[in-house]
Amino acid sequence: MENKNQKIQPQHFASVYDYLEALGVLEFGDHQDIQEAKSFYWSSYRKRRKEDFDKKNKSISISFKLDDYFRLKKDAESFKMPLSKYLKEQIFNKGTNTSEIELLLLDLIVELEDEEISQDLIVKRLEILLQKLQA
């Protein structure tokens, strides 16, 4: 069968099997024809899914210094979230949610565990937390 699979567009079919049946490769084609048709179906399917996704979503790219990246990644892991989800939550909640307060508390706890924090710094951190809670 010579590239017959490109005459019928895959998006009109509910499954790869329906597509292969409509092409007739299941009945009249050999193994190579079936493989080519399946390959064309799935590449068209992925292309269509990407186009649909791109219509509904926009992606952006941002860069961080390595130490900032690792800090954000560590913060995201403390909430058991992927970094992208964590960043979205922080952006859309504008930093005034419980997550930020929890992060400040975690930072304070880590600093207290290190025992390298002054009493004045502890007071400043607690004042910041109090302000966040009152906001």
Side-chain angles (χ1 to χ4, degrees):
M1 299 194 89
E2 80 279 344
N3 270 346
K4 184 179 178 186
N5 55 347
Q6 293 174 352
K7 293 180 182 173
I8 301 175
Q9 292 303 311
Q11 64 262 28
H12 303 296
F13 299 94
S15 70
V16 67
Y17 180 80
D18 292 342
Y19 177 67
L20 296 174
E21 198 170 76
L23 286 177
V25 294
L26 292 177
E27 192 174 340
F28 303 110
D30 60 13
H31 179 72
Q32 184 178 353
D33 292 334
I34 293 171
Q35 289 302 105
E36 287 174 6
K38 284 170 89 175
S39 177
F40 181 74
Y41 175 87
W42 288 115
S43 66
S44 298
Y45 174 81
R46 284 188 296 274
K47 181 180 177 185
R48 189 174 69 251
R49 289 244 350 218
K50 183 179 178 347
E51 288 170 354
D52 291 345
F53 180 85
D54 290 345
K55 285 179 188 175
K56 297 175 188 173
N57 301 284
K58 296 294 175 199
S59 64
I60 60 169
S61 177
I62 56 175
S63 299
F64 295 101
K65 292 181 182 175
L66 273 180
D67 55 337
D68 293 335
Y69 168 79
F70 288 118
R71 179 173 177 247
L72 287 168
K73 187 167 177 66
K74 180 181 171 188
D75 292 345
E77 287 171 353
S78 71
F79 289 102
K80 296 182 173 109
M81 289 184 189
L83 182 57
S84 59
K85 183 177 180 182
Y86 172 77
L87 290 172
K88 280 183 195 176
E89 186 173 297
Q90 291 302 308
I91 290 167
F92 292 121
N93 290 329
K94 296 182 179 78
T96 58
N97 62 0
T98 307
S99 295
E100 182 180 353
I101 293 167
E102 289 172 354
L103 282 175
L104 290 170
L105 280 171
L106 284 173
D107 284 344
L108 183 59
I109 290 168
V110 167
E111 288 174 348
L112 286 171
E113 288 174 348
D114 290 342
E115 297 178 6
E116 295 179 9
I117 185 170
S118 70
Q119 193 171 8
D120 292 336
L121 190 55
I122 293 171
V123 171
K124 286 179 185 177
R125 296 288 171 103
L126 290 173
E127 286 173 352
I128 291 170
L129 283 169
L130 184 60
Q131 289 172 358
K132 295 288 182 186
L133 286 169
Q134 292 173 345

